[in-house]
């Protein structure tokens, strides 16, 4: 059982907008620690998608955006494309350790 | 080219040991904090542990389930981090990734391709 809770799956049609939630507690996200998001295409290594709650590394399309409020964070993807089909993980910090969400599989219909 | 390359995975019996290596290139390895993350087949990402740079005395930290069995070390002269795994259990079967922790972004910004460790009799 993961410290951070994500929905197992989400789906959307090309061009649509989807959001993925990441729910924590007062000892991690609620304590003010940053949330980061990673994209993992099956069979490949994770890739940093969003850092520091809202920031995109160079090369990440602005279709991807992050937000954080209270004990939760969200990843939004607009203008959904077939290449966005992947697993998405949130990550934060808790009691001296790095913690991940259980992951969300995004299916592009 | 910025990259991390893991090696050393393979098949090991329960109770056995294995040592993984992670070679970095194209970035300041010696000044970087290095972490290990694993992923069991069909499962999510799980943080294993980390080793800080010499500036922080090579301090290590581990996830509770690995503490006492796993040891992370590094050799900056070889741009290499290691994960020594002892008393391996079937549940340790996973792809093991090394990753660089960015002290600018406070996130894992460089990942290796992973190496598969299978614990089975």
């Amino acid at each position: 059982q993961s410290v951070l809770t994500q929905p197992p799956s989400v789906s959307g049609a090309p061009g649509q907008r989807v959001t993925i939630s990441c729910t924590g507690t007062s000892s991690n996200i609620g304590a003010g620690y940053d949330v980061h998001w990673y994209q993992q295409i099956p069979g490949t290594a994770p890739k940093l998608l969003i850092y520091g709650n809202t920031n995109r590394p160079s090369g990440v399309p602005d279709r991807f955006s992050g937000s954080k409020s209270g004990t939760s964070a969200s990843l939004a993807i607009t203008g959904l494309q077939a290449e966005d089909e992947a697993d998405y993980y949130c990550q934060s910090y808790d009691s001296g350790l790095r913690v991940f969400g259980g992951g969300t599989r995004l299916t592009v219909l | 080219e910025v990259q991390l390359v893991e090696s050393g995975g393979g098949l090991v019996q329960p109770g056995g040991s294995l040592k993984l290596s992670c070679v970095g290139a194209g970035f300041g390895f010696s000044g970087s904090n290095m972490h290990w993350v694993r992923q069991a087949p069909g499962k999510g990402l799980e943080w294993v542990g980390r080793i800080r740079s010499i500036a922080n005395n090579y301090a290590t930290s581990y996830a509770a389930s690995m503490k006492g069995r796993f040891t992370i070390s590094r050799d900056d002269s070889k741009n290499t981090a290691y994960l020594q795994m002892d008393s391996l259990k079937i549940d340790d079967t996973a792809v093991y990734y090394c990753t660089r922790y960015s002290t600018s972004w406070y996130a894992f910004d460089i990942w290796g391709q992973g190496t598969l460790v299978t614990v089975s009799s």
Side-chain angles (χ1 to χ4, degrees):
Chain A
Q1 190 147 350
S2 303
V3 173
L4 305 178
T5 301
Q6 297 180 234
S9 63
V10 297
S11 62
Q16 286 189 333
R17 178 181 186 269
V18 297
T19 61
I20 298 173
S21 61
C22 175
T23 303
T25 67
S26 58
S27 66
N28 41 68
I29 298 175
Y33 295 114
D34 284 344
V35 176
H36 317 293
W37 292 90
Y38 302 87
Q39 177 192 59
Q40 185 180 34
I41 295 170
T44 70
K47 167 192 167 185
L48 180 62
L49 198 65
I50 297 287
Y51 67 92
N53 307 312
T54 61
N55 304 289
R56 282 176 286 105
S58 173
V60 174
D62 59 7
R63 302 186 295 104
F64 295 89
S65 63
S67 64
K68 174 189 162 185
S69 178
T71 58
S72 295
S74 289
L75 173 70
I77 310 172
T78 59
L80 208 55
Q81 298 181 5
E83 66 202 49
D84 299 333
E85 189 158 286
D87 297 320
Y88 293 84
Y89 295 89
C90 60
Q91 180 255 311
S92 189
Y93 182 89
D94 189 323
S95 304
L97 309 176
R98 272 61 178 184
V99 291
F100 287 94
T104 299
R105 170 65 58 91
L106 169 61
T107 300
V108 180
L109 302 171
Chain B
E1 179 188 2
V2 172
Q3 63 177 355
L4 290 168
V5 179
E6 302 95 335
S7 61
L11 176 63
V12 60
Q13 291 187 337
S17 297
L18 205 59
K19 187 173 186 177
L20 308 182
S21 300
C22 167
V23 180
F27 65 96
F29 183 89
S30 63
S32 298
N33 296 336
M34 300 302 298
H35 293 237
W36 289 89
V37 173
R38 72 181 184 181
Q39 185 170 36
K43 302 297 184 181
L45 302 174
E46 181 182 23
W47 182 76
V48 172
R50 61 95 169 123
I51 184 165
R52 288 180 168 167
S53 69
I54 188 173
N56 294 104
N57 298 314
Y58 299 131
T60 56
S61 177
Y62 303 91
S65 61
M66 294 133 215
K67 203 168 185 179
R69 299 190 301 123
F70 289 10
T71 303
I72 299 173
S73 61
R74 63 192 295 164
D75 183 343
D76 289 341
S77 69
K78 297 180 180 179
N79 280 2
T80 302
Y82 303 97
L83 176 62
Q84 174 69 46
M85 303 183 292
D86 300 317
S87 304
L88 282 163
K89 307 174 183 179
I90 291 176
D91 288 350
D92 293 321
T93 294
V95 173
Y96 285 75
Y97 296 100
C98 70
T99 178
R100 196 276 292 264
Y101 179 75
S102 167
T103 51
S104 297
W105 297 346
Y106 302 101
F108 301 125
D109 65 341
I110 305 170
W111 293 75
Q113 85 287 354
T115 187
L116 176 62
V117 172
T118 303
V119 184
S120 175
S121 55

